[in-house]
Amino acid sequence: MSNTSNKFYITTTLPYVNSEPHVGFAMEIIRADVIARYKRSLGHDVFFNTGTDEHGAKIYENAVKAGVEVQAYVDGYAAKFKELTSALGISEINFIRTTDDKHVQAAKEMWKRCNDNGYIYKKTYQTKYCVGCELNKTDSELENGKCPIHPNREIELIDEENYFFKFSEFQKPLLDFYAANPNFVIPDFRFNEIRSFVERGLEDFSISRLKTKMPWGVDVPGDDEHVMYVWFDALTSYISTLGWGTDEKNFDFWKEGTPVQYCGKDNLRQQSAMWQAMLMAAGLPNSKHIIIDGFITSGGQKMSKSIGNVISPFDVIEEFKSVTDYPEDVLRFVLLHDISSFEDGDITMESIKASYQANLANGIGNLTSRIMKMAISNGVRIEPLNEKIESSELDAFDVNNYCRSIVLRMNAIDETIATHQPFKVVKTNPDEGKEMIKTCLIFLKSFAMYLEFALPKTSAKILECIRENKMPEKPLFNRLP
């Protein structure tokens, strides 16, 4: 068993199960997978988590509209997100559902701890609420009286008695924590955003709903009339997955390890302020890093069913099955290489195909065949000894620059071959030519090892070809028809 100080915990957000999996979440889990694979390669004991967020008004509303029992509704979507982890080639992952019994027990324990420590109270209040965001909205956050993120939904007016979390008491503790941990939120411009938000002052937020109005949630301990507000419940999943509040068998990954959370920029406030305050209120350690992704647009527009520009990760994988045995690596490559690590990015099916043709078919696939053919034809072999890859880009969670650096390595090998032409030299000066081919083979091996975290199946195939001194049975990436 490895030392607890060597434990590394990484989690995605838990996608809300009110729609099919989309490429935005695929990007998040692929990026987290790259980091998890990298950390394992360095000898860390890694706990990699994802799952599904299954409570709240929006899910209850959708299930009622569909005429489906709510548990059956969330079961169906949870199965699709679990299927996605397999389809994307995600490694050794734990999958938590907020309807799991161990999560329900942990959410109740979080409530009890915060309540026992004096951070929960009850009051009647009025507020404007966006069911799409599952968040209260101030007038300044609305545009023409509507949520800018969900402009097709009417803002609801809530007037009822709820329980509240004393968020307002955590302004100084949060600012002190931020000051002591200058790399807490990555990238730094998102850290500046949340710091400014907290500096402006915090308002207590509602953490319950009347069961008569919204029965789908975790029961509030000691009050049969209320269920927990979905965010209070869902945020606890990051530690309920480790057994906190039940058996705690893996809680060392959080308590003594390095807990890292990936999320989109629309989750900045919840992950880096609300959740951190809840942890403080319960007397628990804070997260180590919150990594904030940008959004993915398509053709310059937000993905929308009404526009018809939504891209399904399953559809992308299906599209490339006819030209490669590694269709999941196609989607992994595009989301890692073509989209900024921290800013918004844009893809379309056309841009995915263009990237495939340029970088995979004409790039990685062609380079592998070219070098292996030279090596086999001239009896050149190397021992593909394992070596530890260390990356400053991955240490900084900059997966996009890491993937771009891999492509630069590929281009450098291509350029070397074009400039020095070992395939010609070997005919006139066999010893010198073979040495040059050997250098190309060593470059290919190094390239494949760097590729391992991003495109694991492609990397494994290239290394197998080097080890067994053989050509791929068929092209890694055929040209598109």
Side-chain angles (χ1 to χ4, degrees):
M1 195 73 179
S2 47
N3 189 286
T4 53
S5 65
N6 204 37
K7 291 182 180 292
F8 183 84
Y9 171 87
I10 188 164
T11 184
T12 68
T13 48
L14 269 58
Y16 206 50
V17 291
N18 67 319
S19 61
E20 300 280 340
H22 56 79
V23 290
F25 178 66
M27 179 180 73
E28 184 177 311
I29 197 169
I30 288 167
R31 289 176 170 185
D33 185 49
V34 170
I35 301 299
R37 289 174 182 274
Y38 173 61
K39 292 295 182 179
R40 284 194 202 101
S41 77
L42 296 178
H44 290 271
D45 186 4
V46 174
F47 192 104
F48 181 13
N49 181 68
T50 192
T52 43
D53 178 3
E54 302 180 15
H55 291 128
K58 189 159 48 175
I59 286 171
Y60 179 69
E61 176 188 281
N62 288 358
V64 170
K65 280 182 181 176
V68 179
E69 195 271 325
V70 191
Q71 187 64 55
Y73 179 85
V74 297
D75 285 349
Y77 276 114
K80 291 177 182 178
F81 278 95
K82 203 161 190 177
E83 180 188 350
L84 181 64
T85 65
S86 175
L88 295 174
I90 303 301
S91 62
E92 299 177 47
I93 201 160
N94 190 74
F95 195 93
I96 184 77
R97 298 178 59 184
T98 59
T99 51
D100 288 345
D101 183 64
K102 77 171 185 177
H103 171 75
V104 170
Q105 297 309 311
K108 290 180 177 180
E109 181 62 24
M110 174 63 75
W111 183 286
K112 290 174 186 174
R113 296 249 189 135
C114 292
N115 187 52
D116 290 347
N117 291 338
Y119 293 109
I120 294 178
Y121 65 97
K122 200 176 188 183
K123 75 169 183 179
T124 300
Y125 83 121
Q126 295 178 326
T127 191
K128 294 175 180 177
Y129 188 76
C130 174
V131 174
C133 294
E134 296 279 13
L135 286 174
N136 296 340
K137 296 290 178 176
T138 63
D139 287 337
S140 65
E141 293 176 303
L142 302 177
E143 295 177 4
N144 300 317
K146 294 192 174 184
C147 171
I149 302 174
H150 301 94
N152 296 328
R153 299 196 68 114
E154 293 297 324
I155 290 292
E156 294 193 6
L157 298 176
I158 294 177
D159 185 357
E160 63 186 42
E161 187 177 48
N162 284 175
Y163 287 93
F164 276 73
F165 178 73
K166 293 183 180 178
F167 195 34
S168 57
E169 295 195 10
F170 289 91
Q171 181 182 32
K172 186 177 187 306
L174 283 171
L175 291 175
D176 288 346
F177 173 70
Y178 296 160
N181 297 274
N183 295 314
F184 173 59
V185 175
I186 299 171
D188 55 2
F189 64 87
R190 297 292 178 208
F191 203 1
N192 292 337
E193 282 181 32
I194 195 62
R195 194 183 289 110
S196 296
F197 170 79
V198 174
E199 285 171 348
R200 290 194 294 269
L202 303 174
E203 294 184 5
D204 297 348
F205 60 86
S206 168
I207 55 170
S208 76
R209 296 290 180 266
L210 281 171
K211 195 181 288 188
T212 53
K213 294 184 178 181
M214 209 293 292
W216 183 245
V218 178
D219 290 339
V220 167
D223 191 333
D224 293 339
E225 296 181 355
H226 285 258
V227 295
M228 291 183 198
Y229 168 51
V230 63
W231 276 108
F232 190 93
D233 147 30
L235 290 166
T236 305
S237 67
Y238 301 129
I239 55 176
S240 69
T241 190
L242 298 169
W244 181 83
T246 50
D247 57 38
E248 303 211 356
K249 64 180 181 181
N250 286 312
F251 193 55
D252 278 354
F253 280 94
W254 189 278
K255 185 171 62 177
E256 299 175 25
T258 304
V260 173
Q261 297 173 227
Y262 256 97
C263 67
K265 65 181 183 180
D266 55 338
N267 265 240
L268 174 64
R269 183 190 310 181
Q270 296 92 318
Q271 311 295 334
S272 56
M274 291 165 63
W275 172 230
Q276 304 311 313
M278 287 169 59
L279 288 165
M280 292 174 178
L284 296 171
N286 289 98
S287 310
K288 180 69 174 175
H289 297 297
I290 309 291
I291 317 301
I292 310 293
D293 289 329
F295 287 159
I296 295 181
T297 56
S298 186
Q301 294 179 295
K302 182 180 178 181
M303 289 191 192
S304 165
K305 289 181 182 177
S306 60
I307 297 173
N309 66 345
V310 173
I311 298 175
S312 161
F314 293 113
D315 288 349
V316 177
I317 291 168
E318 189 64 33
E319 177 75 25
F320 287 91
K321 280 184 177 178
S322 63
V323 290
T324 179
D325 287 342
Y326 318 108
E328 65 271 54
D329 278 3
V330 176
L331 182 57
R332 288 175 71 102
F333 177 84
V334 169
L335 293 176
L336 291 167
H337 178 268
D338 296 3
I339 305 290
S340 164
S341 292
F342 309 117
E343 302 276 8
D344 293 354
D346 192 278
I347 59 170
T348 62
M349 192 58 84
E350 291 69 30
S351 74
I352 293 171
K353 289 178 179 179
S355 187
Y356 170 86
Q357 195 69 39
N359 297 301
L360 299 181
N362 294 340
I364 294 172
N366 184 56
L367 177 70
T368 301
S369 294
R370 192 177 187 188
I371 292 177
M372 290 310 304
K373 185 176 180 179
M374 283 196 300
I376 293 166
S377 299
N378 293 282
V380 178
R381 301 191 67 158
I382 62 168
E383 288 297 321
L385 299 174
N386 288 330
E387 58 186 76
K388 193 173 288 187
I389 301 296
E390 295 192 21
S391 164
S392 58
E393 293 105 336
L394 294 187
D395 289 336
F397 303 96
D398 192 346
V399 292
N400 177 246
N401 272 334
Y402 178 77
C403 204
R404 286 183 171 275
S405 73
I406 292 173
V407 172
L408 289 176
R409 285 173 179 270
M410 176 180 73
N411 293 339
I413 304 170
D414 259 338
E415 192 174 321
T416 297
I417 294 172
T419 301
H420 299 288
Q421 300 184 320
F423 50 89
K424 288 185 178 178
V425 174
V426 75
K427 294 175 182 178
T428 57
N429 189 335
D431 289 342
E432 183 183 354
K434 287 183 178 182
E435 199 59 38
M436 291 167 68
I437 292 170
K438 183 177 181 181
T439 298
C440 291
L441 204 53
I442 290 170
F443 277 156
L444 182 65
K445 183 203 75 168
S446 176
F447 168 77
M449 294 191 70
Y450 273 88
L451 202 62
E452 180 184 359
F453 316 126
L455 310 188
K457 287 192 174 180
T458 304
S459 168
K461 188 62 184 178
I462 296 171
L463 290 172
E464 176 192 308
C465 289
I466 295 171
R467 183 174 59 252
E468 297 182 10
N469 194 39
K470 67 178 186 180
M471 292 288 292
E473 294 81 5
K474 54 184 172 179
L476 299 180
F477 301 101
N478 280 297
R479 293 176 183 274
L480 289 169

